[in-house]
Amino acid sequence: MRVTHGLPLARKTTLGIGGPAAVFAELEDLADFPEFVALADAFPGAPICLGAGSNALVADAGCSSPVLRMNTRGVRFVGEAADGRTLVEVQAGHPLSDLVDTVVGHGLIGVEMLAGIPGTVGATPVQNVGAYGQEISDTLVEVAAWDWVLRRRVTLDAAACGLGHRTSVFKGSSRWTLLTVVFALRKCALSAPVTYRAVADRLDVPVGSRVAPAEAVEAVLAVRRGKGMVLGCSDADRRTVGSVFFSPEVTPAQAGWLRDEGASLNRFPDGSTRVSASWLMRWAGFALGGRVAEGVRVSYLHHTLVADEGASAARFTEAIGVVVQRVLEGTGVRLTPEIDFLGDWPQEGDMGED
């Protein structure tokens, strides 16, 4: 385990924002995790797992709690589920993109539509990561985690994880640090049905078609790159967390007029109808590349927020507030931030003047 004191967390996030960590630990081998437990006990506050930093906004003041980056790697094929699917155990620090490539290379389907999503596998149950018709809840079997309340390693099955739309029992909680994740994936020569029109159009097939998994991966990556939603595909928009806002749920009445206006609406596995947050931003008048707050603007390729020179956590949260207010005033739909706010944030009323 490698330990650094006072490391600027801006270096460890894709937004490039954030103050220093009192202590920053990088774990390469899960066998060393007890060392981090002992280290964390010497500091106040519950420890934070940063992962790859691709969904995090770190406070300008940094973080007084110990911060852990899981760099553990490894994919193991560990047996067969009762329904015949292949069980795959993955280390929490393993890159999600690499997992997709690995399992597709072994002829397995279930996560092919998640291609191009940044971050680690350990973060996927936290957010119930999903895109283009697939979610982690479709394939998750169980997770192994360190329980900071019980002070021991525990195993939680999928039901105990409380997976919902971009949420779980882990979201917003400091109780658990995820160590490994087990998925059940199906051996198949064809992908899951292509349910999103943009991906189907890229493949030149009707919605609902099934294609070779590798073809589905390439189509998803192409669509994501076109939106600047693959890290490194756009130098101008490189300081990004991808989606800043959840796709909000809408009522039947709201869905009616949004559909009439050509909004991007989709049904989700939880039964909800949700509208694209980026469509709402465009409808509310946010222009591609437009400045929203000092150092924060709309991406040049997609209606989401990115950081530029002069960005700070305070300015980024200001920009989030501006978007939420204008979208609410223009559409009656309230956006909710999807990103994780980490570190020592000012209490309400503590923000001083510039």
Side-chain angles (χ1 to χ4, degrees):
M1 183 174 71
R2 188 164 58 250
V3 178
T4 308
H5 295 269
L7 180 76
L9 289 175
R11 300 179 191 170
K12 300 297 183 178
T13 71
T14 57
L15 275 177
I17 292 174
V23 61
F24 183 82
E26 295 179 272
L27 192 72
E28 309 286 340
D29 188 337
L30 200 54
D32 296 332
F33 187 77
E35 291 184 34
F36 178 72
V37 175
L39 175 70
D41 286 343
F43 286 83
I48 291 170
C49 190
L50 184 60
S54 59
N55 193 50
L57 178 60
V58 178
D60 294 320
C63 186
S64 56
S65 299
V67 178
L68 174 66
R69 166 158 279 181
M70 295 290 279
N71 286 333
T72 54
R73 301 286 194 274
V75 177
R76 292 198 309 139
F77 300 91
V78 294
E80 189 174 284
D83 62 2
R85 289 184 295 172
T86 300
L87 297 175
V88 184
E89 181 188 69
V90 191
Q91 295 289 315
H94 201 90
L96 175 60
S97 58
D98 184 83
L99 172 65
V100 173
D101 290 343
T102 298
V103 298
V104 167
H106 281 78
L108 298 171
I109 67 168
V111 294
E112 62 275 14
M113 303 300 176
L114 308 185
I117 296 177
T120 61
V121 169
T124 61
V126 178
Q127 190 83 354
N128 187 20
V129 165
Y132 302 116
Q134 284 182 338
E135 293 185 336
I136 288 300
S137 58
D138 299 336
T139 55
L140 183 72
V141 174
E142 65 181 32
V143 304
W146 179 262
D147 188 324
W148 292 95
V149 173
L150 298 179
R151 308 287 299 178
R152 61 180 175 85
R153 180 175 171 139
V154 298
T155 300
L156 289 79
D157 64 17
C161 293
L163 302 176
H165 179 72
R166 305 299 171 262
T167 192
S168 69
V169 297
F170 312 115
K171 181 76 172 176
S173 172
S174 57
R175 177 171 177 173
W176 297 276
T177 297
L178 272 65
L179 307 175
T180 61
V181 184
V182 177
F183 301 100
L185 304 175
R186 192 171 303 283
K187 188 84 171 177
C188 190
L190 295 175
S191 70
V194 178
T195 59
Y196 271 63
R197 181 162 299 282
V199 179
D201 288 347
R202 182 74 190 188
L203 289 161
D204 195 24
V205 298
V207 170
S209 299
R210 302 175 68 189
V211 299
E215 291 180 12
V217 167
E218 286 306 312
V220 168
L221 287 172
V223 171
R224 292 182 66 87
R225 288 191 192 102
K227 298 178 179 180
M229 301 288 276
V230 175
L231 288 179
C233 72
S234 170
D235 185 62
D237 291 345
R238 69 186 185 283
R239 294 175 62 183
T240 177
V241 287
S243 298
V244 174
F245 301 100
F246 293 109
S247 295
E249 184 173 3
V250 295
T251 65
Q254 289 173 322
W257 79 260
L258 286 166
R259 232 178 243 110
D260 290 343
E261 296 296 336
S264 178
L265 291 166
N266 288 288
R267 291 280 292 176
F268 281 79
D270 63 358
S272 62
T273 297
R274 296 177 181 272
V275 62
S276 161
S278 62
W279 187 93
L280 292 174
M281 286 182 64
R282 180 166 61 86
W283 176 263
F286 290 96
L288 294 177
R291 182 175 183 263
V292 183
E294 183 181 347
V296 185
R297 60 171 169 80
V298 180
S299 160
Y300 292 124
L301 299 173
H302 185 55
H303 283 84
T304 190
L305 297 175
V306 299
D308 273 338
E309 185 79 23
S312 66
R315 296 308 184 197
F316 206 89
T317 54
E318 176 189 340
I320 288 172
V322 169
V323 172
V324 170
Q325 186 61 33
R326 280 179 55 182
V327 167
L328 181 62
E329 291 173 353
T331 69
V333 179
R334 181 177 293 278
L335 291 175
T336 302
E338 180 176 344
I339 54 179
D340 292 324
F341 295 84
L342 304 181
D344 304 332
W345 289 85
Q347 297 298 310
E348 191 172 347
D350 287 351
M351 296 289 287
E353 293 185 9
D354 291 337

